[in-house]
Amino acid sequence: AGLLATGSVLWLMGARILQALGYTAVSTAATAQITDLSPPAERGARIAQFGIAANLAMTLTPASVDFLLPT
């Protein structure tokens, strides 16, 4: 939302920095939580599923924003 609302390069850079910090914190915490909650036999599969979801989000979100920018 911050990326769509900004008209300044400095605000855009600030929004991207906040996005990166948030992703780093959430992905690290989520991986630790998955490790704690998953049974040992399923742990690798659960971490892989989280990685797939995170990579899809990192791919589809910028593509969606790019699609919405002209509107």
Side-chain angles (χ1 to χ4, degrees):
L3 299 177
L4 291 174
T6 186
S8 164
V9 173
L10 289 176
W11 283 110
L12 180 63
M13 289 175 63
R16 295 293 285 177
I17 289 169
L18 286 175
Q19 179 186 12
L21 291 172
Y23 176 76
T24 302
V26 169
S27 65
T28 302
T31 302
Q33 192 76 3
I34 291 166
T35 302
D36 288 343
L37 296 176
S38 299
E42 297 178 11
R43 194 167 290 151
R46 299 295 178 237
I47 291 172
Q49 289 169 347
F50 174 73
I52 291 167
N55 284 316
L56 279 173
M58 284 190 295
T59 303
L60 296 177
T61 301
S64 301
V65 170
D66 189 49
F67 176 76
L68 293 172
L69 280 174
T71 62

